[in-house]
Amino acid sequence: MTEFWPTLTEAAADFRFLLTRGYPRKNALDLVGNRYGLDHTARQLLHRGVFAPIVAAARRAKLRLLRDLPNLPLALDGHNVLITLECAGRGLPLVAADDGFVRDVGEISGAFKVSPATDRVLALVADYLADNQAGPVEVFYDAPLSLSGELARRTREVFASRNLSVQAAAVPVPERQLSGFTGAIATSDTALIDAHSAVIDLAGEIIRRHPAWQLIYLREPDLGVEV
């Protein structure tokens, strides 16, 4: 994907301009994608990575680093965090978005299954939380997805082994618990970011520290969050 960086950044600039001018997101993406002959993955990178500057700035103002919130309550958007990290482990494209969050374009949410890779990611997350003295942690998984209850059980087990205070559950609509959570939340979901005042890009922080996991920047990479 990096060999197409000039085309992608040009397309991103055009997409960003149209969004700034108030064009509907889907229409603007279709227009830019067709103009540059972008494939599905490239269009997904734009969709998940490019936002009108005023929107991106508002979200970046809510972005917090885990290390700056020691011992404070934290709720994780479980599948959101794990899937992003599993995509990173598979070598799938990761975009450093305008709003400061890292997102995958793997589109595997509906087909997500618990696997040995999930256990590795859980350990990675637990270690990072413990290293940064995370406070009481609550993890919410999407109950309709396969084996969510088992995933919650494994989460409790792995996190507890790192001496983390943890509650994990599979719930019908995780967004309800997360949007009303009184502490910080960890997610890259745009609706949740817009609804909450303090958000941690937990998967993004871990990915930025992993030398093998490369990010795609759709503008000059000075917007990268230093963590």
Side-chain angles (χ1 to χ4, degrees):
M1 185 62 67
T2 54
E3 64 268 28
F4 301 113
W5 187 82
T7 298
L8 275 176
T9 52
E10 290 175 16
D14 286 357
F15 186 36
R16 199 175 290 114
F17 172 79
L18 293 175
L19 294 174
T20 303
R21 301 285 291 181
Y23 278 67
R25 189 170 186 84
K26 183 181 184 306
N27 293 352
L29 183 59
D30 288 343
L31 181 63
V32 171
N34 292 342
R35 179 190 178 197
Y36 287 92
L38 300 181
D39 64 13
H40 179 73
T41 298
R43 293 178 193 231
Q44 280 296 103
L45 287 167
L46 295 185
H47 175 57
R48 292 178 64 76
V50 177
F51 303 95
I54 191 170
V55 172
R59 291 180 185 152
R60 291 175 69 85
K62 300 179 177 186
L63 188 56
R64 303 289 184 270
L65 297 176
L66 180 62
R67 70 186 182 207
D68 294 334
L69 302 173
N71 304 314
L72 295 179
L74 174 66
L76 273 60
D77 186 357
H79 280 106
N80 178 276
V81 173
L82 296 191
I83 287 172
T84 301
L85 288 168
E86 283 206 24
C87 285
R90 296 185 192 183
L92 298 175
L94 303 165
V95 60
D98 290 357
D99 58 5
F101 291 80
V102 172
R103 296 185 178 89
D104 68 87
V105 296
E107 299 181 276
I108 65 172
S109 296
F112 175 81
K113 295 185 182 300
V114 178
S115 69
T118 310
D119 289 329
R120 291 192 292 271
V121 166
L122 277 175
L124 195 64
V125 171
D127 288 339
Y128 190 73
L129 291 171
D131 289 345
N132 285 274
Q133 300 179 323
V137 179
E138 296 187 41
V139 187
F140 299 104
Y141 291 108
D142 195 343
L145 294 184
S146 175
L147 294 176
S148 291
E150 169 64 12
L151 183 54
R153 185 195 66 77
R154 292 192 193 188
T155 299
R156 292 191 296 270
E157 183 178 272
V158 172
F159 282 29
S161 72
R162 272 69 169 181
N163 295 316
L164 292 164
S165 173
V166 58
Q167 297 182 46
V171 297
V173 185
E175 292 80 4
R176 291 177 183 167
Q177 279 81 5
L178 290 161
S179 61
F181 191 73
T182 55
I185 64 171
T187 187
S188 63
D189 180 272
T190 56
L192 283 171
I193 297 168
D194 292 342
H196 211 276
S197 59
V199 188
I200 294 170
D201 183 17
L202 183 59
E205 288 192 28
I206 295 171
I207 287 166
R208 292 177 191 277
R209 283 173 165 74
H210 199 294
W213 294 342
Q214 300 297 311
L215 295 174
I216 296 170
Y217 289 86
L218 298 180
R219 62 192 309 163
E220 291 300 322
D222 57 358
L223 279 185
V225 177
E226 296 296 331
V227 296

